[in-house]
């Protein structure tokens, strides 16, 4: 039986977690590259996502240990920001702008086309795992609406036809 | 050797500028002609992007919008000598869209190579900072106060007063933080400046550092702007090497350094205290005020927070004097604003003009009406929290106070145009939906109110107890306005009510069938 500890004297204790899985090891080295500084948590998540495609649940305790923060805090940050993915996503992330300027140029129709042609709702991934489509609000390309972004690449004046071409280009890239 | 300019601005890239640059290089090689290709920022005539310019004895000659396919034909027509072509527009600076602007903040953008300090200095760069380095910090603050500069991020708070607060505090560590979250739909001025003239932002922030007594600055850039992040990081490196950042800047005894931080897709992180939380690596929950960030800001230290455009206006204010800047504008809105023409508009782009210009001038004279060719019905000004204004209000001059009187908001200067096919009830619904998605969740009127707002508007559209629900919506808007902690929940009623009041017909249409079915 565990030893009983008087409530009042019990300090919140942080469990030290050491890394074992490859994802955890990656997390440890990303944190180290950022000097284990808690204020760099967003940068750490960005970098991990870049390396692993998403932020696996199992990395959260080791990040918490590295940054000397509670697991709840790390989890809270992860879930607050739209960018961070907690589950695997498609090879390419296609962000479609749904904000007002793009609405005025028919982004609703573009979204419907994307959902239909890729056979997945916004936020979902194609069956072959190649493309995830998601909504974003403004890509700063509002004079050339509708706008989409694939990875770091921005596209303007995207109609259904151009959308199909861009997606075809991605699949071709993958085939090569 | 002939110099050809092909922008590296993200908007230009989005319509093929890289492909055009590659095509020009390979066509030149094929023709054994030597050309020097400079990747400049954008001139702001985004409807002409990719806008290719050729340097000639008469000045720079513009061609656009150029696609890779047009390149061979341009060579054939002799564009390297500035000869005419179907895509030609003559001298860039004579194009009325450009010529009729008053470019102070954007004086260099699109002209220079954004990463060349030589270019920057050739066009007046670092003159403001050089002066500032020789001034007493309080005199810098006074100069900014004299200019009448007000925050360009939306709220329009006098910049000089903010700087004075930080200046007057005694603290071992202070910070400068730049708000480059630019989340408003219809805005891209911050992005254009960061990509087209990054040293201008660096210079403005350094002047703020000297004035406020801060030796460290952060630029919080939204993750939707990867190009801006890259350009800024490179520019900071270049500036450090040339000792325009770092220790003992130009032997002045002042030290200042800058760091870029990337956001992660949260609109609320544009609210300054949410941005501070995010910069500290936390959830972007809005902080209670007081204390104001000038007193307890980043890591609890006094912090000057300004928008990109506010900082970028400072170098010219210091170089030419506060009086010079103040001479532009009207009423209490001094200087220029970089208006952004967006949405359903024929000639979208950036128009820097003194305050006092009207929406009609911007939308008609510069913008040329809608892209669809249909009549203009409304414009949303000042981002997703800004009002929708009907054409009947297009003659109100752009002026913080005049706009407020007309129940509208200048904000960050974005003008999003809609044609007559727009359904304003749908736009009102979106305003609530956006608030529900982007609310930080700290207070109830915003977090829950926005979700209720969507539901109520759905009922109005579906013609379920319409009058009762319209009254309910108005009531909800009052609660959100009065009861929200920040302007996210506090201003969302603005676009909603402006749609309801300005375009009542759209809330009284026969119910579409699918909504009836869904509401059963
Ligand atoms: C929901 C919300 C979003 C905001 N987004 C931005 C933004 O993207 N960029 C910005 O500069 N200011 C934004 N602001 C305004 C900032 O809170 C703050 O007023 C501004 O950064 C101060 O700088 P300025 O005085 O130079 O305008 C936002 C405010 C709110 C309430
Ligand atoms: S109004 Fe909305 S965004 Fe602002 S503090 Fe409240 S919940 Fe957060
Ligand atoms: S609204 Fe779509 S890019 Fe700005």
């Amino acid at each position: 039986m565990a030893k009983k500890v008087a409530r009042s004297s019990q300090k919140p204790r942080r469990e030290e977690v050491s890394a074992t899985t490859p994802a955890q090891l990656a997390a440890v080295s990303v944190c180290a590259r950022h000097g284990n500084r808690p204020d760099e948590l967003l940068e750490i998540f960005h970098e991990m996502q870049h390396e692993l495609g998403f932020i696996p649940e199992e990395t959260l305790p080791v990040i918490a240990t590295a940054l000397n923060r509670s697991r709840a805090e790390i989890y809270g940050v992860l879930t607050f920001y739209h960018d961070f993915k907690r589950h695997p996503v498609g090879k390419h992330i296609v962000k479609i702008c749904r904000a007002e300027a793009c609405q005025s140029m028919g982004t609703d129709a573009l979204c419907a086309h994307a959902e239909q042609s890729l056979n997945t709702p916004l936020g979902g991934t194609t069956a072959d795992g190649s493309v995830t489509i998601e909504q974003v609000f403004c890509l700063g390309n509002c004079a050339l609406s509708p706008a989409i972004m694939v990875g770091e690449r921005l596209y303007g004046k995207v109609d259904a036809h151009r959308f199909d071409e861009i997606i075809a280009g991605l699949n071709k890239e993958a085939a090569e | 050797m002939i110099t050809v300019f092909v922008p590296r601005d993200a908007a230009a890239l989005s319509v093929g500028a890289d492909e055009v640059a590659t095509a020009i290089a390979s066509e030149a090689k094929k023709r054994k002609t030597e050309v020097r290709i400079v990747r400049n920022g954008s001139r702001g005539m985004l409807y002409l992007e990719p806008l290719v310019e050729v340097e000639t004895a008469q000045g720079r000659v513009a061609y656009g919008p150029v696609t890779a396919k047009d390149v061979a034909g341009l060579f054939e027509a002799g564009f390297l000598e500035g000869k005419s072509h179907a895509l030609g527009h003559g001298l860039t600076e004579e194009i009325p869209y450009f010529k009729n602007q008053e470019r102070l903040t954007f004086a260099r953008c699109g002209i220079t190579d954004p990463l060349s300090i030589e270019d920057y200095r050739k066009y007046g760069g670092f003159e403001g900072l050089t002066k500032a380095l020789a001034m007493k910090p309080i005199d810098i603050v006074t100069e900014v106060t004299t200019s009448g500069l007000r925050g360009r991020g939306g709220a329009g708070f006098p910049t000089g007063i903010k700087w004075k607060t930080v200046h007057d505090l005694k603290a071992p560590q202070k910070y400068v933080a730049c708000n480059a979250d630019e989340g408003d739909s219809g805005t891209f001025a911050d992005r254009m400046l960061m990509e087209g003239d990054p040293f201008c932002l660096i210079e403005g922030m350094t002047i703020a550092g000297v004035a406020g007594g801060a030796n460290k600055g952060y630029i919080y850039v939204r993750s939707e702007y990867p190009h801006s992040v890259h350009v800024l990081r490179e520019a900071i490196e270049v500036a450090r090497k040339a000792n325009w950042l770092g220790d003992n800047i130009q032997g002045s005894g002042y030290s200042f350094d800058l760091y870029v931080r990337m956001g992660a897709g949260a609109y609320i992180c544009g609210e300054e205290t949410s941005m501070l939380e995010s910069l500290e690596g936390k959830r972007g929950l809005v902080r209670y005020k007081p204390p104001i960030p000038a007193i307890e800001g980043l890591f609890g230290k006094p912090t000057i927070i300004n928008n990109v455009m506010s900082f970028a206006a400072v170098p010219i204010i210091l170089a030419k004097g506060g009086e010079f800047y103040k001479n532009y504008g009207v009423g209490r809105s001094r200087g220029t604003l970089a208006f952004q023409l967006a949405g359903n508009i024929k000639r979208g782009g950036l128009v820097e003009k003194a305050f006092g210009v009207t929406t009609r001038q911007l939308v008609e004279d510069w913008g040329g009406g809608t892209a669809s060719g249909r009549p203009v019905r409304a414009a949303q000004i000042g981002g997703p929290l800004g009002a929708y204004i009907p054409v009947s209000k297009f003659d109100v001059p752009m002026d913080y106070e005049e706009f407020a009187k007309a129940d509208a908001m200048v904000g960050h200067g974005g003008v999003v145009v809609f044609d007559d096919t727009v359904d304003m009830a749908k736009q009102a619904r979106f305003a609530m939906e956006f608030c529900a998605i982007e609310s930080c969740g700290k207070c109830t009127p915003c977090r829950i109110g926005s979700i209720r707002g969507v539901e109520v508007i759905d009922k109005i559209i579906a013609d379920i107890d319409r009058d009762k629900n319209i009254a309910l919506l108005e009531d909800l808007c009052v609660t959100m306005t009065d009861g929200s902690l920040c302007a996210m929940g506090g201003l969302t009623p603005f676009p909603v009510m402006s749609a309801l009041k300005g375009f009542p017909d759209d809330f009284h249409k026969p119910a579409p069938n699918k909504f009836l079915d869904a509401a059963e």
Side-chain angles (χ1 to χ4, degrees):
Chain A
M1 219 182 89
K3 221 165 76 183
K4 274 201 179 157
V5 185
R7 266 260 169 91
S8 56
S9 71
Q10 195 175 24
K11 275 194 187 154
R13 215 163 45 90
R14 277 176 195 150
E15 192 190 344
E16 299 269 322
V17 178
S18 46
T20 47
T21 70
Q24 288 177 330
L25 291 166
V28 167
S29 68
V30 172
C31 289
R33 274 209 292 281
H34 288 273
N36 293 327
R37 287 176 53 164
D39 60 306
E40 301 217 357
L41 183 53
L42 268 67
E43 300 289 329
I44 289 168
F45 278 149
H46 275 303
E47 228 172 284
M48 283 179 57
Q49 188 152 295
H50 188 74
E51 280 182 25
L52 306 171
F54 71 109
I55 317 287
E57 189 94 29
E58 74 208 51
T59 61
L60 303 184
V62 297
I63 298 173
T65 301
L67 307 186
N68 195 22
R69 283 286 181 274
S70 74
R71 246 184 247 191
E73 281 170 279
I74 304 295
Y75 184 79
V77 173
L78 177 66
T79 52
F80 185 84
Y81 296 94
H82 298 303
D83 277 1
F84 301 135
K85 312 277 183 291
R86 290 158 59 203
H87 303 286
V89 288
K91 192 153 165 267
H92 302 282
I93 297 185
V94 176
K95 296 176 176 172
I96 308 178
C97 175
R98 261 196 73 217
E100 290 91 338
C102 289
Q103 288 165 17
S104 79
M105 290 302 282
T107 194
D108 287 355
L110 180 65
C111 289
H113 171 79
E115 291 183 323
Q116 203 190 10
S117 65
L118 297 174
N119 196 20
T120 170
L122 287 178
T125 303
T126 52
D128 64 355
S130 65
V131 174
T132 296
I133 45 171
E134 49 184 50
Q135 63 174 10
V136 287
F137 298 101
C138 196
L139 294 164
N141 202 21
C142 336
L144 300 171
S145 295
I148 73 168
M149 189 174 246
V150 184
E152 289 198 352
R153 201 156 167 192
L154 182 65
Y155 295 87
K157 294 190 182 178
V158 182
D159 55 12
H161 177 69
R162 189 154 140 85
F163 184 85
D164 291 345
E165 276 180 359
I166 294 165
I167 298 294
L170 294 177
N171 292 332
K172 202 171 127 210
E173 230 171 72
E176 271 161 14
Chain B
M1 200 184 339
I2 297 161
T3 305
V4 177
F5 297 85
V6 186
R8 58 178 292 168
D9 177 273
L13 299 179
S14 83
V15 283
D18 273 346
E19 290 77 359
V20 170
T22 310
I24 291 174
S26 73
E27 187 69 24
K29 204 169 160 201
K30 210 164 95 192
R31 292 167 182 263
K32 302 202 168 45
T33 316
E34 281 204 60
V35 297
R36 182 175 80 106
I37 298 178
V38 174
R39 304 304 302 270
N40 56 337
S42 172
R43 294 274 196 159
M45 292 176 279
L46 297 175
Y47 63 102
L48 292 179
E49 294 292 1
L51 178 80
V52 174
E53 290 177 88
V54 179
E55 195 153 78
T56 71
Q58 288 72 45
R60 278 156 70 161
V61 179
Y63 301 87
V66 176
T67 64
K69 285 195 205 102
D70 300 318
V71 168
L74 281 165
F75 272 88
E76 210 50 53
F79 89 122
L80 291 181
E81 292 93 56
K83 292 199 179 141
S84 63
H85 182 277
L87 296 173
H89 302 278
L91 295 172
T92 315
E93 308 209 338
E94 294 300 319
I95 299 174
Y97 196 99
F98 190 82
K99 194 179 178 181
N100 296 332
Q101 299 192 25
E102 287 150 313
R103 291 258 174 138
L104 303 182
T105 301
F106 282 84
R108 272 173 304 264
C109 189
I111 295 177
T112 54
D113 172 347
L115 291 171
S116 158
I117 283 207
E118 296 72 47
D119 272 16
Y120 186 66
R121 299 202 67 185
K122 191 166 139 199
Y123 290 92
F126 290 127
E127 276 173 21
L129 177 56
T130 305
K131 274 200 187 165
L133 290 172
M135 286 162 76
K136 283 216 288 275
I138 190 64
D139 295 335
I140 302 174
V141 173
T142 306
E143 209 59 50
V144 172
T145 307
T146 305
S147 75
L149 177 66
R150 290 165 70 178
R152 301 294 190 234
F157 187 82
T159 305
I161 294 180
K162 200 182 271 187
W163 288 25
K164 174 104 180 8
T165 307
V166 175
H167 169 274
D168 290 351
L169 288 167
K170 299 272 166 288
Q173 178 71 60
K174 300 180 194 176
Y175 293 103
V176 176
C178 174
N179 190 338
D181 199 50
E182 198 167 60
D184 290 2
S185 166
T187 65
F188 43 81
D190 295 354
R191 184 187 59 64
M192 257 186 65
L193 187 106
M194 291 188 283
E195 293 170 7
D197 196 17
F199 294 127
C200 183
L201 174 59
I202 292 171
E203 182 178 356
M205 288 184 73
T206 308
I207 295 171
V210 173
N215 64 358
K216 257 189 198 173
Y218 288 88
I219 309 175
Y220 185 85
V221 187
R222 62 202 300 255
S223 62
E224 292 83 351
Y225 287 1
H227 293 92
S228 304
V229 170
H230 296 317
V231 175
L232 282 173
R233 287 195 168 138
E234 269 186 74
I236 287 170
E237 221 28 71
V238 173
R240 275 185 195 137
K241 285 210 181 97
N243 192 225
W244 286 105
L245 279 176
D247 291 334
N248 192 16
I249 295 171
Q250 306 296 318
S252 64
Y254 287 107
S255 298
F256 187 75
D257 214 343
L258 267 180
Y259 307 90
V260 176
R261 287 291 170 80
M262 195 158 83
Y267 177 77
I268 193 57
C269 289
E271 194 283 334
E272 57 186 7
T273 63
S274 167
M275 179 185 87
L276 292 174
E277 290 290 302
S278 192
L279 275 172
E280 294 179 8
K282 302 178 188 154
R283 292 163 71 85
L285 289 183
V286 171
R287 293 180 186 173
Y288 294 106
K289 285 193 249 186
I292 55 169
I295 297 174
E296 273 180 46
L298 188 59
F299 305 114
K301 304 289 186 285
T303 306
I304 292 179
I305 304 179
N306 279 118
N307 171 253
V308 176
M309 288 294 108
S310 313
F311 283 124
V314 169
I316 196 163
I317 289 171
L318 266 290
K320 303 210 170 168
E323 286 295 337
F324 165 85
Y325 193 78
K326 191 183 168 187
N327 281 334
Y328 291 85
V330 289
R332 286 173 47 220
S333 307
R334 310 311 311 180
T336 58
L337 188 65
F339 296 98
Q340 299 127 89
L341 308 186
N344 195 334
I345 190 151
K346 194 165 155 201
R347 294 192 292 263
L350 181 132
V351 177
E352 183 174 352
K353 268 309 260 188
F355 286 95
V357 66
T358 65
T359 308
R360 193 178 304 284
Q361 285 173 304
L362 290 169
V363 172
E364 291 176 6
D365 300 350
W366 271 275
T370 61
S372 60
R374 302 183 64 95
V376 176
R377 179 139 185 262
Q380 186 180 29
I381 300 182
L385 306 176
Y388 284 96
I389 65 170
V391 179
S392 59
K393 282 193 186 172
F394 273 21
D395 293 309
V396 178
M398 288 283 184
D399 167 309
Y400 294 114
E401 279 69 37
E402 289 300 318
F403 256 59
K405 269 191 243 161
D407 288 326
M409 181 171 96
V410 175
H412 191 51
V415 179
V416 178
V417 177
F418 293 81
D419 72 12
D420 62 350
T421 60
V422 67
D423 177 347
M424 296 305 295
K426 207 170 137 194
Q427 297 308 121
R429 182 191 191 278
F430 176 77
M432 286 291 189
E433 182 195 357
F434 182 70
C435 182
I437 295 171
E438 298 295 341
S439 165
C440 86
K442 187 153 175 162
C443 61
T444 322
C446 168
R447 184 185 67 241
I448 307 289
S450 54
I451 295 171
R452 291 287 169 273
V454 173
E455 293 166 1
V456 172
I457 296 174
D458 276 343
K459 286 187 188 151
I460 295 169
I461 292 172
D463 198 9
I464 299 167
D465 290 335
R466 198 169 253 166
D467 292 341
K468 251 166 82 185
N469 277 309
I470 287 179
L472 189 62
L473 178 62
E474 290 175 352
D475 202 46
L476 176 66
C477 283
V478 173
T479 305
M480 288 177 73
T481 305
D482 294 347
S484 297
L485 176 59
C486 84
M488 179 85 218
L491 289 181
T492 291
F494 219 35
V496 176
M497 291 309 293
S498 66
L500 185 61
K501 297 284 173 222
F503 308 87
D505 294 354
D506 290 18
F507 293 78
H508 290 89
K509 286 195 228 167
N513 284 330
K514 69 169 183 193
F515 281 109
L516 266 184
D517 295 341
E520 287 298 282

